[in-house]
Amino acid sequence: MPHNDDPEITAQPSLDFTSGYVQRSVAKLPKQGSKRPWRLHQNYALDIVSLRFGRIDDGVMQYS
């Protein structure tokens, strides 16, 4: 399970939609962080670059 030890990272909704049905259920949906590696951009080009060229050990995520 991931642990966030950085107090500067705040929880944000995982979907950035203003639709009424999303806003009504935003409390029940998963959250994401305000910056990397907890931030998901949901952009294929950014995701593929970070997956191919990004480091696995980024100094933030803890692995067992």
Side-chain angles (χ1 to χ4, degrees):
M1 173 172 267
H3 298 281
N4 176 17
D5 295 331
D6 188 353
E8 294 180 9
I9 297 178
T10 59
Q12 296 180 343
S14 59
L15 294 175
D16 189 23
F17 293 153
T18 57
S19 303
Y21 68 95
V22 172
Q23 293 302 312
R24 285 189 295 273
S25 64
V26 76
K28 297 178 184 178
L29 294 172
K31 305 285 186 259
Q32 66 178 349
S34 56
K35 61 182 182 178
R36 287 180 40 106
W38 307 100
R39 177 94 172 132
L40 300 173
H41 295 285
Q42 297 189 18
N43 179 324
Y44 179 77
L46 290 175
D47 291 341
I48 199 71
V49 168
S50 70
L51 288 173
R52 284 198 178 158
F53 303 110
R55 294 180 7 205
I56 293 175
D57 185 10
D58 60 4
V60 178
M61 300 288 274
Q62 298 175 2
Y63 302 95
S64 57

